[in-house]
Amino acid sequence: QVRPRRVFVLGPSHHVYLEGCAVSMASACDAVLGDLVVDTEVVESLLATGHFQQTTSNVDEDEHSIEMHLPYITRAMETDPSSDPADAHNPGTFGEGFSVVCIMVGQVNDQQQALYGSILAPYLEDPENFFVVSSDFCHWGSRFRCTPFDQKTYGKRLQIWEYISAMDHEGMDIIEAQDARGFNAYLQRTKNTICGRYPIAVLLQTLAAAGDDYEVKFESYAQSSQVTKKTDSSVSYASAVVTSRIARGASS
């Protein structure tokens, strides 16, 4: 198994309107457990395509979609996995031996999704690279301006939280099928408030453009609360793992 030398983190933009994708120009990211070095060579290569913008330090600091993953990446990439970060006498080594590339994904249409997928595919194919895509799922409630509910689309006698789950799982099934066009059609039809819909769409196009055969499998799903009345609200969360069938077959 190859230890990644580079981790790409794709996240949506919550605070600024962005068309296309942008890369952080920082040289390092504070990840609580230690600083993570940014791969500036890859950043420059992406900028050289002419299809990436630059983010400012203020935009970087305001955006949580990428930032929240960095401590987990740091912990997972710890050079001595047997050490306990809570042990002051044996803190382990964090943030060494790998770099990160932070990509903020703004609004992208079908053609742009395919374009960015073709740009990122060679990086995905490299076994020394690892990709993290940040997203949650449905934000249901009047404060999110999202309150879809009926007794026809997903069945009768459903509680609202069951309807939300069914809607989310329809999208999850489409993602597992790696159906980029179907995912866009699903979003258009359901209006599901998935924050990372554009990073996910770019990932699907990256998988399509890459030469390897990949499997996408969701491992967990949860809701912050079970909505039973229209004055309630909730946020859904789902996590998936993408693996290369070719690499998995070679390793076995």
Side-chain angles (χ1 to χ4, degrees), residues 123-199:
Y123 295 103
L124 182 68
E125 292 173 320
D126 185 340
E128 292 191 330
N129 292 332
F130 189 86
F131 276 67
V132 175
V133 177
S134 175
S135 184
D136 44 28
F137 265 70
C138 182
H139 293 59
W140 197 98
S142 58
R143 66 192 181 104
F144 301 120
R145 298 179 182 177
C146 175
T147 56
F149 179 64
D150 62 59
Q151 296 291 344
K152 295 185 297 183
T153 305
Y154 298 110
K156 297 181 179 180
R157 298 187 179 88
L158 294 181
Q159 295 281 348
I160 297 176
W161 68 268
E162 293 174 314
Y163 178 98
I164 296 169
S165 177
M167 179 173 64
D168 282 339
H169 278 83
E170 181 188 1
M172 293 159 63
D173 289 343
I174 294 170
I175 294 170
E176 285 190 336
Q178 302 176 48
D179 183 357
R181 181 176 296 180
F183 184 61
N184 286 330
Y186 159 82
L187 292 172
Q188 182 66 29
R189 173 172 52 82
T190 64
K191 310 297 183 186
N192 197 353
T193 48
I194 301 173
C195 283
R197 55 192 177 277
Y198 292 126

Side-chain angles (χ1 to χ4, degrees), residues 51-66:
H51 298 293
F52 286 80
Q53 303 176 45
Q54 302 177 11
T55 62
T56 65
S57 59
N58 287 339
V59 171
D60 287 342
E61 292 171 3
D62 286 343
E63 182 52 61
H64 63 272
S65 69
I66 293 173

Side-chain angles (χ1 to χ4, degrees), residues 3-185:
R3 184 178 188 272
R5 290 195 309 110
R6 187 182 300 109
V7 180
F8 287 75
V9 188
L10 281 65
S13 175
H14 286 89
H15 302 287
V16 297
Y17 178 75
L18 174 67
E19 290 188 1
C21 293
V23 288
S24 171
M25 300 306 295
S27 59
C29 298
D30 182 353
V32 182
L33 295 174
D35 288 345
L36 300 184
V37 175
V38 174
D39 194 320
T40 54
E41 289 188 11
V42 171
V43 169
E44 291 298 328
S45 295
L46 294 176
L47 289 172
T49 66
H51 298 293
F52 286 80
Q53 303 176 45
Q54 302 177 11
T55 62
T56 65
S57 59
N58 287 339
V59 171
D60 287 342
E61 292 171 3
D62 286 343
E63 182 52 61
H64 63 272
S65 69
I66 293 173
E67 179 185 41
M68 65 187 298
H69 288 279
L70 299 181
Y72 296 98
I73 293 170
T74 307
R75 183 67 175 88
M77 294 291 288
E78 182 186 2
T79 55
D80 183 8
S82 64
S83 63
D84 183 354
D87 183 356
H89 301 290
N90 184 23
T93 303
F94 298 100
E96 295 186 2
F98 73 100
S99 59
V100 295
V101 179
C102 301
I103 301 176
M104 188 178 295
V105 183
Q107 184 171 325
V108 284
N109 60 33
D110 295 13
Q111 293 73 27
Q112 290 172 311
Q113 293 167 19
L115 170 65
Y116 287 112
S118 66
I119 294 173
L120 294 176
Y123 295 103
L124 182 68
E125 292 173 320
D126 185 340
E128 292 191 330
N129 292 332
F130 189 86
F131 276 67
V132 175
V133 177
S134 175
S135 184
D136 44 28
F137 265 70
C138 182
H139 293 59
W140 197 98
S142 58
R143 66 192 181 104
F144 301 120
R145 298 179 182 177
C146 175
T147 56
F149 179 64
D150 62 59
Q151 296 291 344
K152 295 185 297 183
T153 305
Y154 298 110
K156 297 181 179 180
R157 298 187 179 88
L158 294 181
Q159 295 281 348
I160 297 176
W161 68 268
E162 293 174 314
Y163 178 98
I164 296 169
S165 177
M167 179 173 64
D168 282 339
H169 278 83
E170 181 188 1
M172 293 159 63
D173 289 343
I174 294 170
I175 294 170
E176 285 190 336
Q178 302 176 48
D179 183 357
R181 181 176 296 180
F183 184 61
N184 286 330

Side-chain angles (χ1 to χ4, degrees), residues 224-235:
S224 60
S225 63
Q226 291 188 344
V227 175
T228 58
K229 54 184 183 295
K230 290 201 171 184
T231 55
D232 291 343
S233 64
S234 72
V235 178

